[in-house]
Amino acid sequence: MAYFKVDKIQYEGPQSKNPLAFKYYNPDEVVMGKPMKEHLRFAMSYWHTFTYMGRDPFGGDTMNRHWDNTEDVMEKAKERVRAAFEFMEKMQIQYFCFHDADIAPIVPNDLAETNRRLDEIVAVIKEEMKRTGIKCLWGTTNAFGDAKFVHGAGTSCNATVFAYTAAQIKKAMEITKELGGENYVFWGGREGYETLLNTDTALELDNFARLLRMAVDYAKEIGFTGQLLIEPKPKEPTKHQYDFDVATVIGFLRKYDLLPYFKMNIEANHATLAMHTFQHELNMARINGVLGSVDANIGDPMLGWDTDQFPTNLYDTTLAMYEILLNGGLGSGGLNFDAKVRRASFEDDDLFYGYIAGMDTFARGLKVAAKLLEDKVFENFKAERYASYREGIGKDIVEGKVGFKELEAYALKNGVTPNKSGRQEMLESILNQYIIETK
Amino acid sequence: MAYFKVDKIQYEGPQSKNPLAFKYYNPDEVVMGKPMKEHLRFAMSYWHTFTYMGRDPFGGDTMNRHWDNTEDVMEKAKERVRAAFEFMEKMQIQYFCFHDADIAPIVPNDLAETNRRLDEIVAVIKEEMKRTGIKCLWGTTNAFGDAKFVHGAGTSCNATVFAYTAAQIKKAMEITKELGGENYVFWGGREGYETLLNTDTALELDNFARLLRMAVDYAKEIGFTGQLLIEPKPKEPTKHQYDFDVATVIGFLRKYDLLPYFKMNIEANHATLAMHTFQHELNMARINGVLGSVDANIGDPMLGWDTDQFPTNLYDTTLAMYEILLNGGLGSGGLNFDAKVRRASFEDDDLFYGYIAGMDTFARGLKVAAKLLEDKVFENFKAERYASYREGIGKDIVEGKVGFKELEAYALKNGVTPNKSGRQEMLESILNQYIIETK
Amino acid sequence: MAYFKVDKIQYEGPQSKNPLAFKYYNPDEVVMGKPMKEHLRFAMSYWHTFTYMGRDPFGGDTMNRHWDNTEDVMEKAKERVRAAFEFMEKMQIQYFCFHDADIAPIVPNDLAETNRRLDEIVAVIKEEMKRTGIKCLWGTTNAFGDAKFVHGAGTSCNATVFAYTAAQIKKAMEITKELGGENYVFWGGREGYETLLNTDTALELDNFARLLRMAVDYAKEIGFTGQLLIEPKPKEPTKHQYDFDVATVIGFLRKYDLLPYFKMNIEANHATLAMHTFQHELNMARINGVLGSVDANIGDPMLGWDTDQFPTNLYDTTLAMYEILLNGGLGSGGLNFDAKVRRASFEDDDLFYGYIAGMDTFARGLKVAAKLLEDKVFENFKAERYASYREGIGKDIVEGKVGFKELEAYALKNGVTPNKSGRQEMLESILNQYIIETK
Amino acid sequence: MAYFKVDKIQYEGPQSKNPLAFKYYNPDEVVMGKPMKEHLRFAMSYWHTFTYMGRDPFGGDTMNRHWDNTEDVMEKAKERVRAAFEFMEKMQIQYFCFHDADIAPIVPNDLAETNRRLDEIVAVIKEEMKRTGIKCLWGTTNAFGDAKFVHGAGTSCNATVFAYTAAQIKKAMEITKELGGENYVFWGGREGYETLLNTDTALELDNFARLLRMAVDYAKEIGFTGQLLIEPKPKEPTKHQYDFDVATVIGFLRKYDLLPYFKMNIEANHATLAMHTFQHELNMARINGVLGSVDANIGDPMLGWDTDQFPTNLYDTTLAMYEILLNGGLGSGGLNFDAKVRRASFEDDDLFYGYIAGMDTFARGLKVAAKLLEDKVFENFKAERYASYREGIGKDIVEGKVGFKELEAYALKNGVTPNKSGRQEMLESILNQYIIETK
Ligand SMILES: [Co+2]
Ligand SMILES: [Co+2]
Ligand SMILES: [Co+2]
Ligand SMILES: [Co+2]
Ligand SMILES: [Co+2]
Ligand SMILES: [Co+2]
Ligand SMILES: [Co+2]
Ligand SMILES: [Co+2]
């Protein structure tokens, strides 16, 4: 049955005026020796695409999906699965991501029934996966929405909530394994605090590490070999989120000897909420060897909350793909659109427009980034810029051969070699030219 | 000779209408078993107090200090030393902090002459220290002001600038030792980047760690036993500063096995520029055992740059002293006013008003925090709040006795114990009452 | 019937340890010749207090009010009315504020039925008002929550939505009149834009003015003599809200000759979202003669959205009351707590703690502000500071007697009289002393 | 004599790899019936280009211009004039903008000597203008840099500073007239406040209006027919700047009946500091008929101060030119680069790279905006979107034929016509396609 009137979205090239076509995403086009679709392992977020109905803090639903018009909650969940797979097929999206709570109606505090429902829906998803060849990029658990998580999940002051969270992650990890998920994500939506006046941060952080350690152990136990990922976010819904940004999470993982087991799932919108650029967060993850996967949705730099917009900024996608290519790709990770259509984009077609916007902008970013790398535009500039560390006193510094006394002697004798310009404006001009002119 | 017309500032108590008197800072008053002056090891920042003349990015000097009216740069530097010690005596401040470049006129790229000048001024400072009993809280080097640091100091792309930086720190550390400095601070004003387009962050961070390692080694070599401190700041002057915040710096130090050698010098204004509260940064340092010292100056929450204002917010000082008391004090650290009087507060007397404002506000904060702790206001609330981790399943979690399977079994059997309110509004009310009513 | 177990909240004074008592709000205590309760015309917001159940963008309800446990929506609405009036009685709050949609369950797009329901509930409210003597500070309409307002209400691109909005305001104004409301508020929650790419700002602003003009006319027609108020907010839920801040709204009203008919309802949290201090917005309204009423709830300066917290910051309340006293009070306006208890403060008692926190903090602010004014602390300083405009060339400037040529002649002849310090630090110290020491 | 080694910058087209060539700015290329150079009346800012030496709040000069190496301050000023005109010739820039203080060394508080110096330099400028055909876009006065302006200029608490400011503007306006300046700009760098505790905002704003009124009168008296412009900025250097944003300034001008005499000079960086997009500010000015001129420099959305970067963001320049084309151009205004090369771009060549970057990005923006308008991409969408106001009840609303009663009757009878999607994602996709594909 067809849930959407729209036909499969096809690549028509940059001159197409068809809004329901790709202008830049050409799945089989080879870039740097690999087809685009392998560089750009796009994923659909189940939640924003099939359960977000337009609600915001000041208003109710604006979207009305006809496949939701059934009374029975389990039937509705199954209809959504089928609609979702049709949508992905039509969008040529090869992966999906999900929270447990997205796919099946949870029953708060009835874990047994919730798990039974999950199993029932997972069976339907598996059928659809088999039918379509679409795969699971990652699963996760929603341990933030229900009232019991009001004080946190793994960092709750209530130990029974910690226990429930563990049980929920256990099931979500099992499901993810069953669905062949290539990664498992932790986003700690309530792992933070509202006020320090009532919070024991030391205990909460220790407990959070305990939870992650249990997850590592359980993954090993059940043979789940997907990559474990942590998604940093600085704030919202809590006033302060413990997983503030990439640097914070790396430091936390090092402290508890957990770094070998985790990589980062970096969301562009969370980067900017932490007052970093998206590229900065990707770069920090890359140089620390923990760039795992990406939530590609962006925010509005003038707004202070997570707007989760489809990525339509060419600078963001170019510089993101630049870091990803330097990283040798994302391995088992991908580009998940943790993005929702605007509340005012409430028609079914807008789902297509949103994904087309994001996929085309990333496809263009890939092409531009690849050309920048092939031409070694920034790489050559940097090689020259840091040349002084490849010989003489610079080499001695890097190789640990000198200390303060030797360097003082050097400075007294040689003074300082003149600096050269950083050429920021020139480099920004070149970036623009590549964004416009790359074929 | 008297540089200031103002007499020594005396404690006159809360009812005094004399603007040139302390209302709350009563140095010998005993709080929690120790005189105030031992809790509050206030320090004068040499730079903002004796070299800041009111310049800002849009305008020139507004202040005219009569003791600066001498042509000879070394004579002027000596006059400043004498004025500074008179000021500290009159303010009853027992410590000072300095950069090399504050105390003596550096000669860019003539290290030998610069060092000779430093020695000459250090001799004068030692005389004044002997005369007054005032001590050195910490020294540091200014490796950000001169043009050669335009691309960084320890993170410069120019290896000879790295060498010069090392030489400069060597000398500053020697001076600090000679002056009996109890700590040595690293604030990396240019250790960051302007644009990722031209930056090799991996090399720069490695180099920064190399510099710190050399500093650790040299301190050991010369027997400097003061605490080494790093002062985080997220941005400004650079677009991105590597020492973004406490969590970032701890992570960085762990990565390079440097954590045992360093603590944090936390500046209130830098906390808020990183979108953290001051208390948050103190708390993160405290629970990680690295709360070393404090730069007490605050910013304006509506402004996006480092305003370095004297701390006049009672909430900030109360909650800061609360964390410091929980930390068992600051050890060899203190409360440095890295604060400048406003550009429009250009009269000599304003220096007194500024320091009185800061010292009184912190003295009040100390009293309130001590009372909150004595009454166990928040501590009892928290003990009750986290009680579930001291018995039953919570105790098992903390002691590592359970994993996902046991916790799932527990959750299936027991569900979730109801949460209790976090009582934020009640706690905020109580805090207000303590701020107003503490005697 | 008693909805709340808590007894009536009484004034017990600053030493009380009873969390369910006022420490500072003493309704009949005379301050500057008037009882506190007349200075502080506190109002309960119906919506945040009786319809907010703890939902946020990442999670569901946390609060469960026992009086809501009825199936029938109209019965539930009536229970809420009775619970609300009991709450106000117990809190000693003399006023309430409401949206149409708070008090009765609206039926989207069935105006007739919605209006009938409103009438039915209004009757119950009137009974309760009569019984208790509690009054209506202001009414307003909710023209932002329902899906039809997705593109705006008075600024919708859909003219039939404009018509519906007008009809809804008409009814809300009639109800407000019937309830003796002393003001009527316009907060344009969707009057703004999401993207300029699809927006005709010129038409939308003209239409918004048309709507306000109709409201003025209709108020006159029905003899509603309450003050019309506009509540500025810069953003959220929309990306850009037309009523950005006080200055913007005043400019807008002047343009359309509407200024004589409106004053401002200033919300503290909206001030800071616009990067202004609360005092700034009050001051701008005051000097333009349009300070009408206040929404007293504050935000978190580290967060970028409307947290609507109870006001517990003594600086905010002191400086707010300072402006309000300078304004000669708020006339028909009051201090509405457009504040919600934190999501984690989900117990019924927290409603009391929240209001006590806000009322006590404002009561203290009133006392401090009154003392500052009685002692003419800032007023004398300012009189001296601007003295040069009361004589000589300054007087000539103010009286319009001179132009560029005369002033050039003056400057050539006389140069500039030396400036005096602005004494910011001294004034901030004094403010602290008053906050702590005022009896 | 040649000050710069670089040859005249030529248009070489989008494929050029020459960093010292235009890729997009082709001065004589006709766009929408006019050569690019008439659409894009680029101006050089004298200050940032020839007097900014790299200083920032944490460090000193980084730039060393060889033509500055002369002892005599007047000779140096003349060398700068000649270097500036050579630079503009080589950059193909037809206009310059200046403050009085940029072109000649002012003597604080010696107005007569300052004016004499100005006259001497103006003569040199006139020679160069004659020689090159380069014109003056606008002049202004620097009434913020000198210490006497510490409390403001037209809003100083010191009436003699007001007088001096008036005298200085008088002279600057005379010079601007003599140089054929097409506009005169007011940027009130110190017209604001640091703290409300010491500020009489009512008097200060009245005085500011008095100053502007005098300027209007004097312009008339001397026959200066250039456009008077106000440049909004929300903060920095002051905590709060009275000319916060376009809406605030329009409201202020209306209040004092000054609106007919002024238009706006909108700076992109000031827009974002006020938390508006650049397009927003242009749009607000355009629909109010006061879009006068543009300062094209941008800021960094992650930083909270005025970075004054060259505009290299294609979205900014496209949407800015879109508003400017809708405005029918800028009339006597232009595109001033109030931009400075980065502190690390300290070589002479970087001045060229900076201006090339800005001019190329704006040239590209012009082409894209023109194509968007020719194809009526957004205009057609908006026409359709607001169609309901061109007939039926919408037309009645716009024409003022209906009030609340008629609209209620309409709503009761007709309900609401369904809304249509705002299609934000689709429109953003199209914008990207135009940015990349426009020929
Ligand atoms: Co997000
Ligand atoms: Co995400
Ligand atoms: Co600072
Ligand atoms: Co500091
Ligand atoms: Co609000
Ligand atoms: Co409000
Ligand atoms: Co600017
Ligand atoms: Co400008």
Side-chain angles (χ1 to χ4, degrees), chain A residues 231 267 270 295 338:
Chain A
E231 179 171 335
E267 180 176 312
H270 299 176
D295 271 13
D338 186 2

Side-chain angles (χ1 to χ4, degrees), chain C residues 240-252:
Chain C
H240 177 88
Q241 213 98 344
Y242 290 128
D243 293 335
F244 193 82
D245 59 8
V246 168
T248 301
V249 175
I250 291 176
F252 168 81

Side-chain angles (χ1 to χ4, degrees), chain A residues 151 156 158-160 170 193 198 201 204 221 255 280 283 288 385-386 388-389 405 408 417 420 422, chain B residues 151 156 158-160 170 193 198 201 204 221 255 280 283 288 385-386 388-389 405 408 417 420 422:
Chain A
H151 299 310
S156 176
N158 181 342
T160 65
K170 175 176 177 291
Y193 63 79
N198 69 13
T201 53
E204 293 199 0
E221 181 173 341
K255 176 176 178 179
H280 171 86
N283 181 286
N288 283 287
R385 192 168 188 237
Y386 293 91
S388 65
Y389 287 99
K405 283 192 293 191
E408 182 186 58
T417 308
K420 287 179 192 159
Chain B
H151 299 312
S156 176
N158 181 342
T160 65
K170 176 175 176 291
Y193 63 77
N198 67 16
T201 54
E204 293 199 359
E221 181 175 340
K255 176 176 178 180
H280 171 86
N283 182 286
N288 283 287
R385 191 168 190 236
Y386 294 91
S388 65
Y389 288 99
K405 284 192 292 190
E408 182 186 58
T417 308
K420 288 180 191 156

